[in-house]
Amino acid sequence: MSGVRLTLKYHQWDRMAPHLPGKRSDPGRTGADNNRLFLEAVLWLARTGSPWRDLPDFFGNWNSAFIRFSRWSKDGVWDRLFAMMADDPDIEYVMIDSTIVWAHQHAAGKKGGLKLVRSAVRAAG
């Protein structure tokens, strides 16, 4: 397993699996899909704060994982999964907010610096 620590417990996976895309019963499914390994990859990234390119080879191609993550985000899979797992006391480490997420230095703002713009609501009032 090349030293990669997995985090999902069996009871958590059993609860999540039926709600994820790529099951045998889903239309258009092609080939064997390993949702559990993908979820472990996303949890590894959240836990370590590493960029996608540093995803260990154990989890597969980083770009494929990123594309899949983006597709699941667009399709609302993460929202449904978090709502369904919110009552599980063992999953609290997955809850991420902006106070613990590191951003790249260039993520601070667009070229030209910060420009304050009065909101339409305040301007109307």
Side-chain angles (χ1 to χ4, degrees):
M1 197 166 1
S2 68
V4 177
R5 186 179 67 166
L6 302 180
T7 56
L8 278 179
K9 296 179 176 116
Y10 288 110
H11 76 276
Q12 293 169 327
W13 171 247
D14 290 342
R15 223 173 129 193
M16 291 179 191
H19 303 282
L20 301 175
K23 298 178 297 295
R24 293 193 189 282
S25 60
D26 287 350
R29 182 181 180 277
T30 58
D33 199 13
N34 195 338
N35 281 337
R36 184 168 185 168
L37 189 60
F38 170 65
L39 279 175
E40 290 284 0
V42 172
L43 292 173
W44 183 88
L45 287 165
R47 186 175 67 246
T48 63
S50 296
W52 283 98
R53 288 182 186 264
D54 291 346
L55 190 67
D57 292 336
F58 172 78
F59 294 116
N61 181 283
W62 71 267
N63 194 46
S64 298
F66 173 74
I67 290 170
R68 188 175 188 182
F69 179 85
S70 297
R71 188 173 55 240
W72 281 23
S73 296
K74 186 182 82 171
D75 295 344
V77 174
W78 297 116
D79 293 333
R80 291 190 305 274
L81 191 61
F82 285 137
M84 192 253 324
M85 294 299 291
D87 65 341
D88 188 332
D90 291 333
I91 204 90
E92 73 259 358
Y93 65 89
V94 175
M95 303 307 166
I96 300 171
D97 65 29
S98 62
T99 62
I100 62 169
V101 175
W102 288 73
H104 189 273
Q105 64 184 358
H106 297 128
K110 67 179 188 177
K111 189 174 182 178
L114 177 66
K115 292 182 180 148
L116 299 177
V117 179
R118 184 171 228 159
S119 75
V121 175
R122 281 203 173 247

